Amino acid sequence: METLLRIAVQKSGRLSEDSLKLFKECGIKFINSTKKLKSASHNFPVEFLFLRDDDIPGYVEDGVADLGIVGENVSAEKQKEVDLIKKLGFSKCRLSLAIPREVEYSGVTFFEGKSIATSYPVILGEYLAKQGVTCDIQEISGSVEIAPGIGLADGICDIVSSGSTLIGNGLKEVEKIYKSEAVLIGNKNLSAEKKEILDKLTFRIDAVLSGKSNKYVLLNAPNDAIDRIVSLLPGMRSPTIVPLATEGWSSIHSVINEDEFWDKIEELRAAGAEGVLIVPIEKMIS
Ligand code: ATP
Ligand code: ZN
């Protein structure tokens, strides 16, 4: 029987759509019916299991699934023995401490002797221990943000992305304690055959992720500006330079990292670049 890598993804929630999109961008075709428990690909040796995110680290540790996608927060909270293979760049959020808006906050010692409601007792416990603060951690599994309002706790520790849920519940964020994004985790004892499939998969994921973090740049420049412009462009190896029909002008093509993009554009224009085009890259293999 053909060896299949079993990948656990969240059945429905904030990770589901981007997880499945990543596999599609890797060229892996499958029937996406999250009504089913599992779905095999017909063009790549993987099978997807659709599960609650909380169960994924445990299933990956046990080998029920070979790989899984979860938030780092869930992976850290569950303390399972799994490999962190790769950060995936989506579902970015943080765990923060928050207290009622009207309460004055003086620093993390505010929490000494107080109670904090959270679904993340492990991450919170580690943070408080590091800060030397002793609290009563109230573990609750959902709707953490209503705890102070009903007198269950003085503060909360919960996931924040924009902060609007906190504001809607009369709370203010006072400490950011943990940064998270989606990660690919793997079982620690994959067979050689499964490792081989994993290598093919991570090769594709890397190509997709570096495509996303880079842009293809095309620009025109007078020939006497080429040297300066080329010195500003890193490129994958060296930029491509093509003569234009207009005498004395060339078109220069290269790749720029998204993070340095706006700074570079200004420098390039100052160096004489014109007609700059920025094009998204679908995949990039270095
Ligand atoms: P399940 O039903 O599978 O247990 P859940 O309700 O526990 O789902 P979700 O709310 O779907 O979980 O969140 C899944 C993960 O997505 C979180 O663990 C976190 O890593 C990330 N996440 C949560 N909220 C946000 C947000 N507002 N923005 C970005 N990422 C988030
Ligand atoms: Zn969950």
Side-chain angles (χ1 to χ4, degrees), residues 149-179:
I150 59 172
L152 185 68
D154 301 302
I156 65 162
C157 169
D158 203 10
I159 290 175
V160 178
S161 64
S162 71
S164 57
T165 311
L166 291 182
I167 293 167
N169 284 283
L171 300 171
K172 62 179 175 189
E173 184 177 14
V174 292
E175 301 287 345
K176 300 174 176 141
I177 74 160
Y178 188 89
K179 260 178 67 184

Side-chain angles (χ1 to χ4, degrees), residues 97 107-117 121 124-138 154-155:
L97 287 166
V108 68
T109 50
F110 166 88
F111 289 102
E112 181 65 41
K114 299 230 167 51
S115 63
I116 305 177
L124 176 60
E126 280 173 8
Y127 170 80
L128 293 172
K130 227 185 268 165
Q131 300 293 326
V133 173
T134 312
C135 292
D136 173 23
I137 298 177
Q138 300 274 340
D154 301 302

Side-chain angles (χ1 to χ4, degrees), residues 16 23 28 93 126 138 166 181 220 269 276:
S16 314
F23 293 116
I28 298 173
C93 60
E126 280 173 8
Q138 300 274 340
L166 291 182
E181 64 185 84
N220 296 334
R269 290 188 55 204
V276 182

Side-chain angles (χ1 to χ4, degrees), residues 10-15 51-54 71-74 91-93 120 159-161 180:
Q10 190 187 23
K11 188 175 169 67
S12 85
R14 292 182 186 269
L15 295 159
L51 300 167
R52 282 201 59 195
D53 69 340
D54 312 69
E72 273 173 296
N73 53 319
V74 168
S91 296
K92 290 192 176 168
C93 60
Y120 296 91
I159 290 175
V160 178
S161 64
S180 177

Side-chain angles (χ1 to χ4, degrees), residues 72-120:
E72 273 173 296
N73 53 319
V74 168
S75 183
E77 184 64 29
K78 300 292 173 190
Q79 296 184 295
K80 301 292 180 190
E81 286 291 319
V82 295
D83 281 331
L84 197 168
I85 298 172
K86 201 168 277 302
K87 297 197 180 200
L88 299 173
F90 57 84
S91 296
K92 290 192 176 168
C93 60
R94 57 189 184 270
L95 285 181
S96 291
L97 287 166
I99 60 171
R101 191 170 41 215
E102 64 283 1
V103 175
E104 208 175 305
Y105 185 70
S106 48
V108 68
T109 50
F110 166 88
F111 289 102
E112 181 65 41
K114 299 230 167 51
S115 63
I116 305 177
T118 188
S119 312
Y120 296 91

